[in-house]
Amino acid sequence: MTRHPSPPRLDYDPRPPDALRRRRRTRRWALRVGVALLLLSGVGWGPRVWRDVRERYWLDRCAAYAAPAGQVAYDEPKAAAMSTAVPPAGTGPGPVPAAVAAD
């Protein structure tokens, strides 16, 4: 029997060193933890941030509103305006009732 020499070993894609594999594994875990923390913070702060964004939107819309020149914003009827000028009986300045003075 004749022995044939073994063919030369071809290393097309050599296995990365252990340190590089550990680094990749650590990066993957860090990415997973980061995504999990981002999702958890979104659950906790999401509704509050959404509410604040909506409120800010409407505040900006209201602040930017300009009424037309001829629009009346408030008009009180004349009879109601006159009745509020005179205080109802017993509410104006006068003597203090006995029950209040005793306290």
Side-chain angles (χ1 to χ4, degrees), residues 26-82:
T26 304
R27 283 184 191 155
R28 277 191 223 119
W29 275 104
L31 180 65
R32 289 176 186 156
V33 168
V35 168
L37 288 175
L38 187 66
L39 289 175
L40 287 174
S41 66
V43 168
W45 290 331
R48 185 182 324 159
V49 170
W50 178 249
R51 191 172 44 249
D52 290 348
V53 166
R54 271 194 343 228
E55 181 181 354
R56 179 63 186 218
Y57 169 79
W58 286 111
L59 283 173
D60 288 345
R61 290 286 304 248
C62 292
Y65 176 73
Q71 181 180 0
V72 177
Y74 178 76
D75 189 17
E76 190 173 285
K78 203 168 220 176
M82 293 307 289

Side-chain angles (χ1 to χ4, degrees), residues 8-16:
R9 187 169 174 199
L10 299 176
D11 291 327
Y12 289 117
D13 190 12
R15 188 171 183 195

